[in-house]
PDB file of all heavy atoms in Angstrom:
ATOM      1  N   ASP S 337     -34.599   4.704 -19.299  1.00  0.00           N
ATOM      2  CA  ASP S 337     -35.167   5.540 -20.324  1.00  0.00           C
ATOM      3  C   ASP S 337     -34.650   5.075 -21.716  1.00  0.00           C
ATOM      4  O   ASP S 337     -33.514   5.254 -22.041  1.00  0.00           O
ATOM      5  CB  ASP S 337     -34.704   6.995 -20.097  1.00  0.00           C
ATOM      6  CG  ASP S 337     -35.158   7.957 -21.196  1.00  0.00           C
ATOM      7  OD1 ASP S 337     -35.947   7.520 -22.079  1.00  0.00           O
ATOM      8  OD2 ASP S 337     -34.723   9.122 -21.172  1.00  0.00           O
ATOM      9  N   ILE S 338     -35.544   4.405 -22.468  1.00  0.00           N
ATOM     10  CA  ILE S 338     -35.098   3.790 -23.751  1.00  0.00           C
ATOM     11  C   ILE S 338     -34.826   4.836 -24.828  1.00  0.00           C
ATOM     12  O   ILE S 338     -34.362   4.483 -25.908  1.00  0.00           O
ATOM     13  CB  ILE S 338     -36.117   2.776 -24.208  1.00  0.00           C
ATOM     14  CG1 ILE S 338     -37.451   3.450 -24.638  1.00  0.00           C
ATOM     15  CG2 ILE S 338     -36.359   1.691 -23.200  1.00  0.00           C
ATOM     16  CD1 ILE S 338     -38.400   2.497 -25.384  1.00  0.00           C
ATOM     17  N   THR S 339     -35.047   6.133 -24.537  1.00  0.00           N
ATOM     18  CA  THR S 339     -34.743   7.171 -25.501  1.00  0.00           C
ATOM     19  C   THR S 339     -33.468   7.915 -25.094  1.00  0.00           C
ATOM     20  O   THR S 339     -33.131   8.921 -25.720  1.00  0.00           O
ATOM     21  CB  THR S 339     -35.917   8.215 -25.615  1.00  0.00           C
ATOM     22  OG1 THR S 339     -36.017   8.926 -24.387  1.00  0.00           O
ATOM     23  CG2 THR S 339     -37.210   7.489 -25.952  1.00  0.00           C
ATOM     24  N   ARG S 340     -32.765   7.435 -24.096  1.00  0.00           N
ATOM     25  CA  ARG S 340     -31.594   8.187 -23.536  1.00  0.00           C
ATOM     26  C   ARG S 340     -30.531   8.394 -24.603  1.00  0.00           C
ATOM     27  O   ARG S 340     -30.043   7.442 -25.229  1.00  0.00           O
ATOM     28  CB  ARG S 340     -31.016   7.433 -22.336  1.00  0.00           C
ATOM     29  CG  ARG S 340     -29.902   8.173 -21.642  1.00  0.00           C
ATOM     30  CD  ARG S 340     -29.305   7.340 -20.524  1.00  0.00           C
ATOM     31  NE  ARG S 340     -30.258   7.129 -19.441  1.00  0.00           N
ATOM     32  CZ  ARG S 340     -30.403   7.922 -18.428  1.00  0.00           C
ATOM     33  NH1 ARG S 340     -29.684   9.032 -18.290  1.00  0.00           N
ATOM     34  NH2 ARG S 340     -31.298   7.637 -17.430  1.00  0.00           N
ATOM     35  N   ARG S 341     -30.164   9.635 -24.790  1.00  0.00           N
ATOM     36  CA  ARG S 341     -29.041  10.019 -25.659  1.00  0.00           C
ATOM     37  C   ARG S 341     -28.396  11.266 -25.068  1.00  0.00           C
ATOM     38  O   ARG S 341     -29.114  12.164 -24.643  1.00  0.00           O
ATOM     39  CB  ARG S 341     -29.526  10.334 -27.086  1.00  0.00           C
ATOM     40  CG  ARG S 341     -29.971   9.142 -27.920  1.00  0.00           C
ATOM     41  CD  ARG S 341     -30.420   9.641 -29.293  1.00  0.00           C
ATOM     42  NE  ARG S 341     -30.937   8.571 -30.148  1.00  0.00           N
ATOM     43  CZ  ARG S 341     -30.200   7.801 -30.912  1.00  0.00           C
ATOM     44  NH1 ARG S 341     -28.908   7.984 -30.966  1.00  0.00           N
ATOM     45  NH2 ARG S 341     -30.747   6.849 -31.663  1.00  0.00           N
ATOM     46  N   PRO S 342     -27.075  11.302 -25.026  1.00  0.00           N
ATOM     47  CA  PRO S 342     -26.128  10.231 -25.332  1.00  0.00           C
ATOM     48  C   PRO S 342     -26.149   9.144 -24.241  1.00  0.00           C
ATOM     49  O   PRO S 342     -26.730   9.394 -23.187  1.00  0.00           O
ATOM     50  CB  PRO S 342     -24.797  10.940 -25.409  1.00  0.00           C
ATOM     51  CG  PRO S 342     -24.963  12.081 -24.439  1.00  0.00           C
ATOM     52  CD  PRO S 342     -26.388  12.495 -24.548  1.00  0.00           C
ATOM     53  N   ASN S 343     -25.532   8.052 -24.538  1.00  0.00           N
ATOM     54  CA  ASN S 343     -25.508   6.963 -23.571  1.00  0.00           C
ATOM     55  C   ASN S 343     -24.099   6.363 -23.586  1.00  0.00           C
ATOM     56  O   ASN S 343     -23.832   5.352 -24.286  1.00  0.00           O
ATOM     57  CB  ASN S 343     -26.556   5.918 -23.920  1.00  0.00           C
ATOM     58  CG  ASN S 343     -26.813   4.959 -22.751  1.00  0.00           C
ATOM     59  OD1 ASN S 343     -25.968   4.799 -21.865  1.00  0.00           O
ATOM     60  ND2 ASN S 343     -27.955   4.270 -22.773  1.00  0.00           N
ATOM     61  N   ARG S 344     -23.227   6.971 -22.833  1.00  0.00           N
ATOM     62  CA  ARG S 344     -21.814   6.627 -22.881  1.00  0.00           C
ATOM     63  C   ARG S 344     -21.446   5.516 -21.859  1.00  0.00           C
ATOM     64  O   ARG S 344     -20.537   5.676 -21.051  1.00  0.00           O
ATOM     65  CB  ARG S 344     -20.938   7.873 -22.639  1.00  0.00           C
ATOM     66  CG  ARG S 344     -21.113   8.906 -23.786  1.00  0.00           C
ATOM     67  CD  ARG S 344     -20.159  10.085 -23.614  1.00  0.00           C
ATOM     68  NE  ARG S 344     -20.535  10.972 -22.498  1.00  0.00           N
ATOM     69  CZ  ARG S 344     -19.707  11.329 -21.539  1.00  0.00           C
ATOM     70  NH1 ARG S 344     -18.486  10.893 -21.503  1.00  0.00           N
ATOM     71  NH2 ARG S 344     -20.108  12.146 -20.578  1.00  0.00           N
ATOM     72  N   HIS S 345     -22.199   4.453 -21.877  1.00  0.00           N
ATOM     73  CA  HIS S 345     -21.948   3.346 -20.956  1.00  0.00           C
ATOM     74  C   HIS S 345     -20.688   2.587 -21.356  1.00  0.00           C
ATOM     75  O   HIS S 345     -20.198   2.744 -22.485  1.00  0.00           O
ATOM     76  CB  HIS S 345     -23.134   2.442 -20.843  1.00  0.00           C
ATOM     77  CG  HIS S 345     -23.412   1.680 -22.100  1.00  0.00           C
ATOM     78  ND1 HIS S 345     -22.677   0.603 -22.537  1.00  0.00           N
ATOM     79  CD2 HIS S 345     -24.399   1.841 -23.042  1.00  0.00           C
ATOM     80  CE1 HIS S 345     -23.155   0.123 -23.675  1.00  0.00           C
ATOM     81  NE2 HIS S 345     -24.179   0.881 -24.019  1.00  0.00           N
ATOM     82  N   THR S 346     -20.190   1.775 -20.441  1.00  0.00           N
ATOM     83  CA  THR S 346     -18.973   1.003 -20.688  1.00  0.00           C
ATOM     84  C   THR S 346     -19.265  -0.507 -20.598  1.00  0.00           C
ATOM     85  O   THR S 346     -18.421  -1.270 -20.165  1.00  0.00           O
ATOM     86  CB  THR S 346     -17.862   1.397 -19.708  1.00  0.00           C
ATOM     87  OG1 THR S 346     -18.380   1.258 -18.326  1.00  0.00           O
ATOM     88  CG2 THR S 346     -17.440   2.816 -19.919  1.00  0.00           C
ATOM     89  N   ALA S 347     -20.471  -0.917 -20.934  1.00  0.00           N
ATOM     90  CA  ALA S 347     -20.865  -2.283 -20.741  1.00  0.00           C
ATOM     91  C   ALA S 347     -19.986  -3.290 -21.459  1.00  0.00           C
ATOM     92  O   ALA S 347     -19.829  -4.446 -21.018  1.00  0.00           O
ATOM     93  CB  ALA S 347     -22.344  -2.472 -21.146  1.00  0.00           C
ATOM     94  N   PHE S 348     -19.398  -2.916 -22.592  1.00  0.00           N
ATOM     95  CA  PHE S 348     -18.545  -3.817 -23.347  1.00  0.00           C
ATOM     96  C   PHE S 348     -17.078  -3.477 -23.199  1.00  0.00           C
ATOM     97  O   PHE S 348     -16.231  -3.956 -23.963  1.00  0.00           O
ATOM     98  CB  PHE S 348     -18.926  -3.800 -24.827  1.00  0.00           C
ATOM     99  CG  PHE S 348     -20.215  -4.455 -25.142  1.00  0.00           C
ATOM    100  CD1 PHE S 348     -21.297  -3.756 -25.686  1.00  0.00           C
ATOM    101  CD2 PHE S 348     -20.410  -5.845 -24.878  1.00  0.00           C
ATOM    102  CE1 PHE S 348     -22.509  -4.365 -25.954  1.00  0.00           C
ATOM    103  CE2 PHE S 348     -21.626  -6.454 -25.160  1.00  0.00           C
ATOM    104  CZ  PHE S 348     -22.652  -5.722 -25.708  1.00  0.00           C
ATOM    105  N   GLY S 349     -16.733  -2.653 -22.197  1.00  0.00           N
ATOM    106  CA  GLY S 349     -15.363  -2.245 -22.000  1.00  0.00           C
ATOM    107  C   GLY S 349     -14.936  -1.169 -22.965  1.00  0.00           C
ATOM    108  O   GLY S 349     -15.756  -0.557 -23.656  1.00  0.00           O
ATOM    109  N   LEU S 350     -13.609  -0.899 -23.000  1.00  0.00           N
ATOM    110  CA  LEU S 350     -13.061   0.124 -23.866  1.00  0.00           C
ATOM    111  C   LEU S 350     -11.626  -0.251 -24.181  1.00  0.00           C
ATOM    112  O   LEU S 350     -11.074  -1.139 -23.543  1.00  0.00           O
ATOM    113  CB  LEU S 350     -13.058   1.516 -23.156  1.00  0.00           C
ATOM    114  CG  LEU S 350     -14.361   2.235 -22.949  1.00  0.00           C
ATOM    115  CD1 LEU S 350     -14.152   3.448 -22.087  1.00  0.00           C
ATOM    116  CD2 LEU S 350     -14.978   2.703 -24.303  1.00  0.00           C
ATOM    117  N   GLY S 351     -11.057   0.413 -25.189  1.00  0.00           N
ATOM    118  CA  GLY S 351      -9.655   0.230 -25.467  1.00  0.00           C
ATOM    119  C   GLY S 351      -9.333  -1.095 -26.163  1.00  0.00           C
ATOM    120  O   GLY S 351     -10.159  -1.702 -26.848  1.00  0.00           O
ATOM    121  N   ALA S 352      -8.102  -1.536 -25.944  1.00  0.00           N
ATOM    122  CA  ALA S 352      -7.602  -2.721 -26.669  1.00  0.00           C
ATOM    123  C   ALA S 352      -8.387  -3.963 -26.374  1.00  0.00           C
ATOM    124  O   ALA S 352      -8.475  -4.851 -27.249  1.00  0.00           O
ATOM    125  CB  ALA S 352      -6.129  -2.934 -26.333  1.00  0.00           C
ATOM    126  N   PHE S 353      -9.034  -4.041 -25.233  1.00  0.00           N
ATOM    127  CA  PHE S 353      -9.711  -5.256 -24.830  1.00  0.00           C
ATOM    128  C   PHE S 353     -11.234  -5.090 -24.941  1.00  0.00           C
ATOM    129  O   PHE S 353     -11.988  -5.786 -24.255  1.00  0.00           O
ATOM    130  CB  PHE S 353      -9.304  -5.707 -23.436  1.00  0.00           C
ATOM    131  CG  PHE S 353      -7.913  -6.230 -23.372  1.00  0.00           C
ATOM    132  CD1 PHE S 353      -6.881  -5.398 -23.084  1.00  0.00           C
ATOM    133  CD2 PHE S 353      -7.616  -7.575 -23.623  1.00  0.00           C
ATOM    134  CE1 PHE S 353      -5.566  -5.855 -23.002  1.00  0.00           C
ATOM    135  CE2 PHE S 353      -6.299  -8.058 -23.589  1.00  0.00           C
ATOM    136  CZ  PHE S 353      -5.280  -7.166 -23.290  1.00  0.00           C
ATOM    137  N   TYR S 354     -11.646  -4.161 -25.794  1.00  0.00           N
ATOM    138  CA  TYR S 354     -13.082  -3.980 -26.028  1.00  0.00           C
ATOM    139  C   TYR S 354     -13.667  -5.299 -26.522  1.00  0.00           C
ATOM    140  O   TYR S 354     -13.050  -6.013 -27.304  1.00  0.00           O
ATOM    141  CB  TYR S 354     -13.302  -2.869 -27.065  1.00  0.00           C
ATOM    142  CG  TYR S 354     -14.753  -2.560 -27.373  1.00  0.00           C
ATOM    143  CD1 TYR S 354     -15.505  -1.797 -26.490  1.00  0.00           C
ATOM    144  CD2 TYR S 354     -15.342  -2.977 -28.558  1.00  0.00           C
ATOM    145  CE1 TYR S 354     -16.844  -1.487 -26.732  1.00  0.00           C
ATOM    146  CE2 TYR S 354     -16.679  -2.657 -28.817  1.00  0.00           C
ATOM    147  CZ  TYR S 354     -17.397  -1.928 -27.926  1.00  0.00           C
ATOM    148  OH  TYR S 354     -18.686  -1.625 -28.219  1.00  0.00           O
ATOM    149  N   CYS S 355     -14.871  -5.618 -26.057  1.00  0.00           N
ATOM    150  CA  CYS S 355     -15.473  -6.920 -26.345  1.00  0.00           C
ATOM    151  C   CYS S 355     -15.605  -7.146 -27.854  1.00  0.00           C
ATOM    152  O   CYS S 355     -16.256  -6.371 -28.593  1.00  0.00           O
ATOM    153  CB  CYS S 355     -16.843  -6.996 -25.683  1.00  0.00           C
ATOM    154  SG  CYS S 355     -17.736  -8.508 -26.057  1.00  0.00           S
ATOM    155  N   LEU S 356     -15.004  -8.222 -28.342  1.00  0.00           N
ATOM    156  CA  LEU S 356     -14.994  -8.558 -29.741  1.00  0.00           C
ATOM    157  C   LEU S 356     -16.431  -8.796 -30.266  1.00  0.00           C
ATOM    158  O   LEU S 356     -16.751  -8.485 -31.405  1.00  0.00           O
ATOM    159  CB  LEU S 356     -14.172  -9.831 -29.987  1.00  0.00           C
ATOM    160  CG  LEU S 356     -14.012 -10.355 -31.412  1.00  0.00           C
ATOM    161  CD1 LEU S 356     -13.288  -9.364 -32.252  1.00  0.00           C
ATOM    162  CD2 LEU S 356     -13.317 -11.678 -31.400  1.00  0.00           C
ATOM    163  N   GLY S 357     -17.296  -9.361 -29.405  1.00  0.00           N
ATOM    164  CA  GLY S 357     -18.647  -9.702 -29.852  1.00  0.00           C
ATOM    165  C   GLY S 357     -19.692  -8.637 -29.600  1.00  0.00           C
ATOM    166  O   GLY S 357     -20.902  -8.962 -29.674  1.00  0.00           O
ATOM    167  N   ALA S 358     -19.300  -7.408 -29.318  1.00  0.00           N
ATOM    168  CA  ALA S 358     -20.274  -6.358 -28.976  1.00  0.00           C
ATOM    169  C   ALA S 358     -21.261  -6.142 -30.097  1.00  0.00           C
ATOM    170  O   ALA S 358     -22.496  -6.049 -29.846  1.00  0.00           O
ATOM    171  CB  ALA S 358     -19.550  -5.051 -28.670  1.00  0.00           C
ATOM    172  N   ALA S 359     -20.824  -6.037 -31.323  1.00  0.00           N
ATOM    173  CA  ALA S 359     -21.743  -5.781 -32.449  1.00  0.00           C
ATOM    174  C   ALA S 359     -22.728  -6.966 -32.628  1.00  0.00           C
ATOM    175  O   ALA S 359     -23.938  -6.756 -32.859  1.00  0.00           O
ATOM    176  CB  ALA S 359     -20.970  -5.560 -33.728  1.00  0.00           C
ATOM    177  N   LEU S 360     -22.222  -8.193 -32.409  1.00  0.00           N
ATOM    178  CA  LEU S 360     -23.107  -9.332 -32.542  1.00  0.00           C
ATOM    179  C   LEU S 360     -24.159  -9.375 -31.432  1.00  0.00           C
ATOM    180  O   LEU S 360     -25.311  -9.641 -31.683  1.00  0.00           O
ATOM    181  CB  LEU S 360     -22.264 -10.627 -32.485  1.00  0.00           C
ATOM    182  CG  LEU S 360     -23.012 -11.981 -32.621  1.00  0.00           C
ATOM    183  CD1 LEU S 360     -23.672 -12.058 -33.971  1.00  0.00           C
ATOM    184  CD2 LEU S 360     -22.034 -13.155 -32.481  1.00  0.00           C
ATOM    185  N   ALA S 361     -23.735  -9.091 -30.205  1.00  0.00           N
ATOM    186  CA  ALA S 361     -24.684  -9.090 -29.083  1.00  0.00           C
ATOM    187  C   ALA S 361     -25.773  -8.006 -29.282  1.00  0.00           C
ATOM    188  O   ALA S 361     -26.958  -8.276 -29.043  1.00  0.00           O
ATOM    189  CB  ALA S 361     -23.928  -8.849 -27.760  1.00  0.00           C
TER     190      ALA S 361
END
Side-chain angles (χ1 to χ4, degrees):
D337 176 7
I338 67 169
T339 67
R340 186 183 293 271
R341 288 180 184 273
N343 195 339
R344 296 185 288 128
H345 67 75
T346 55
F348 288 118
L350 288 171
F353 291 92
Y354 183 75
C355 177
L356 180 66
L360 182 61

